[in-house]
Amino acid sequence: MGATTRTEIPPGTLYMLILKSLARLGPMHGYGIAQHIGEMSEDVLHVEEGSLYPALQRMLIKGWVKAEWGQSDNNRRARYYRLTPAGRKQLGVEIQEFERVMLAITRVIQPA
């Protein structure tokens, strides 16, 4: 794989990446969240709109984020998402679960 090859987001990590992006930068619109994840991963991870917006909708229902309409930098109407206290708590849960899974994978792939 070359440096510019993008990889799909691993299953079960999209919520964590969205929540962490909002925790780090504050309110953002969906496109900004996707851009931030791409930039922070040095363009390895690519969030598709077909995954991002349904995930944000589920997160709204769960109460992890709130959303309000506003103007984007290029004067377009955009929905801005922000982290709620429940979302901040869930971020901790998501990171803990991710670290648990990564440790398990590491144990499996390490040389004997």
Side-chain angles (χ1 to χ4, degrees):
M1 272 197 228
T4 58
T5 302
R6 287 182 148 179
T7 303
E8 293 302 314
I9 302 293
T13 61
L14 184 55
Y15 288 151
M16 177 183 65
L17 296 171
I18 293 169
L19 291 168
K20 185 62 179 181
S21 297
L22 293 172
R24 183 174 279 144
L25 296 179
M28 297 168 60
H29 51 70
Y31 180 76
I33 294 168
Q35 289 294 107
H36 175 72
I37 292 169
E39 288 170 11
M40 292 302 293
S41 71
E42 297 180 352
D43 286 326
V44 172
L45 301 176
H46 178 67
V47 184
E48 297 288 341
E49 283 185 27
S51 300
L52 176 66
Y53 291 102
L56 285 166
Q57 191 61 38
R58 290 189 300 273
M59 293 168 76
L60 278 166
I61 291 167
K62 293 173 186 280
W64 299 345
V65 297
K66 293 219 181 236
E68 51 188 46
W69 290 99
Q71 292 292 115
S72 67
D73 292 340
N74 59 0
N75 288 328
R76 288 193 171 172
R77 191 167 179 248
R79 199 167 189 193
Y80 282 81
Y81 300 87
R82 67 177 168 80
L83 199 58
T84 64
R88 193 166 298 282
K89 182 177 178 184
Q90 185 63 31
L91 174 58
V93 171
E94 297 285 331
I95 289 172
Q96 207 169 30
E97 181 62 14
F98 176 76
E99 289 172 342
R100 188 177 78 80
V101 170
M102 290 305 299
L103 182 60
I105 291 169
T106 301
R107 286 193 301 262
V108 171
I109 65 172
Q110 281 180 336

